[in-house]
Amino acid sequence: MGFRYLNLSNNPLGDEGAAELCFAIERSNTLRQLLLHACQISDAGARALRKSMADNPTIVVLDVTDNWMSPELESLARVRCVLLSDTHIA
């Protein structure tokens, strides 16, 4: 049994931590919500997370607000999650 909800908000993960987290995200088949609010993630970490999200359709919520990434990448992450959530409505 794996985690369905993981809240790492307000932890200084940075891009290195985000990259390590991506390794686990890609292998999880149970994680549905990942909260990374204010984790000091910049564009490099956001790109890695976006790739992991593409490889893992089970994650339907990703909160990357209040990080150090460009607004475009933060917006794309939110839009991606909305689209994923819409496809999983029963």
Side-chain angles (χ1 to χ4, degrees):
M1 175 177 271
F3 292 102
R4 293 179 53 88
Y5 173 86
L6 182 59
N7 184 352
L8 295 174
S9 296
N10 300 303
N11 283 289
L13 298 176
D15 293 333
E16 287 183 35
E20 291 293 324
L21 190 56
C22 289
F23 181 79
I25 290 170
E26 291 169 4
R27 286 154 185 77
S28 173
N29 61 359
T30 59
L31 186 62
R32 298 198 33 94
Q33 296 182 34
L34 178 59
L35 306 181
L36 300 172
H37 171 82
C39 289
Q40 301 176 2
I41 300 169
S42 72
D43 286 357
R47 285 187 196 94
L49 287 167
R50 185 171 59 184
K51 181 187 178 310
S52 294
M53 292 283 296
D55 294 340
N56 186 337
T58 62
I59 298 176
V60 294
V61 175
L62 172 65
D63 179 1
V64 292
T65 57
D66 199 23
N67 278 286
W68 299 346
M69 62 189 73
S70 64
E72 295 83 20
L73 285 172
E74 188 173 315
S75 295
L76 284 173
R78 271 190 256 126
V79 169
R80 172 86 172 127
C81 290
V82 169
L83 292 174
L84 284 171
S85 295
D86 288 347
T87 63
H88 288 83
I89 295 174

